[in-house]
Amino acid sequence: EVQLVESGGGLVQPGRSLRLSCAASGFTFDDYAMHWVRQAPGKGLEWVSGISWNSGSIGYADSVKGRFTISRDNAKNSLYLQMNSLRAEDTALYYCAKADGGSIAIAWFDPWGQGTLVTVSS
Amino acid sequence: NFMLTQPHSVSESPGKTVTISCTRGSGNIASSYVQWYQQRPGSAPTTVIYEDNQRPSGVPDRFSGSIDSSSNSASLTISGLKTEDEADYYCQSYDSSNPGVFGGGTKLTVL
């Protein structure tokens, strides 16, 4: 069974940093691209970032470009999101999601983890 | 970047059929696949349709997807509505610069 378990969320002050992790199991991790998708409280889904199977292709939403960095460690079956210069509008539930192939260009997200909550507030 | 527009909410009675639309604002709807996700309260999204009209294993055949180039839109149709179908539904597609373009979501009420 494919499992994705996010961690690292919490309450952080504006301007500070946080690093999210996603532990993957049940599939050959280094065959697939991975993505982060977030959902602000009571709002819809927003794609944040994606990384190809070999980290050769990476993409970011304009809203986080220059502040967030996605990475992966295939040896540890893990995905990461380094979030710097956090803003109140980054407050959201952050989901890790597996892509349907190795490229980030053609994206179907399945499955999703249960999410980790990031709250940016002073 | 393009936008996907969904109705904010729809409602229908148990046993009936409902269709949720997803209109692409620019570019051809057929140029990239459309996916549909179901999100029940307090849960992560799950796929009900992928690649325009494909159902993952375990999704009942009451769920179907289609695209219509004339209206540049995709549709999710749920027949034989059950109370358990009550959820938020999101369409999603992509282009070369943005792997994840989501619609704003549609709240389905089964009353």
Side-chain angles (χ1 to χ4, degrees), chain B residues 23-37:
Chain B
T23 302
R24 179 164 173 158
S26 60
N28 189 345
I29 189 70
S31 64
S32 49
Y33 287 126
V34 175
Q35 283 62 240
W36 290 90
Y37 304 96

Side-chain angles (χ1 to χ4, degrees), chain A residues 39 47 104 107-110 113, chain B residues 37 39 44 47 92 94 98-100:
Chain A
Q39 186 170 34
W47 176 79
I104 65 169
W108 166 37
F109 309 109
D110 189 84
Chain B
Y37 304 96
Q39 187 178 34
T47 309
Q92 175 260 324
Y94 50 86
N98 192 339

Side-chain angles (χ1 to χ4, degrees), chain A residues 42-113:
Chain A
K43 302 297 184 181
L45 301 171
E46 179 189 17
W47 176 79
V48 173
S49 182
I51 185 168
S52 64
W53 67 279
N54 63 351
S55 305
S57 181
I58 286 174
Y60 298 98
D62 288 343
S63 58
V64 307
K65 202 171 293 184
R67 300 187 299 122
F68 289 10
T69 302
I70 192 172
S71 62
R72 64 190 294 161
D73 185 336
N74 287 345
K76 295 183 177 180
N77 287 352
S78 293
L79 175 71
Y80 306 101
L81 187 67
Q82 177 67 42
M83 304 186 296
N84 298 333
S85 303
L86 281 162
R87 306 167 180 167
E89 54 264 36
D90 295 319
T91 294
L93 188 61
Y94 284 73
Y95 293 104
C96 160
K98 171 184 166 289
D100 63 326
S103 166
I104 65 169
I106 300 176
W108 166 37
F109 309 109
D110 189 84
W112 303 51

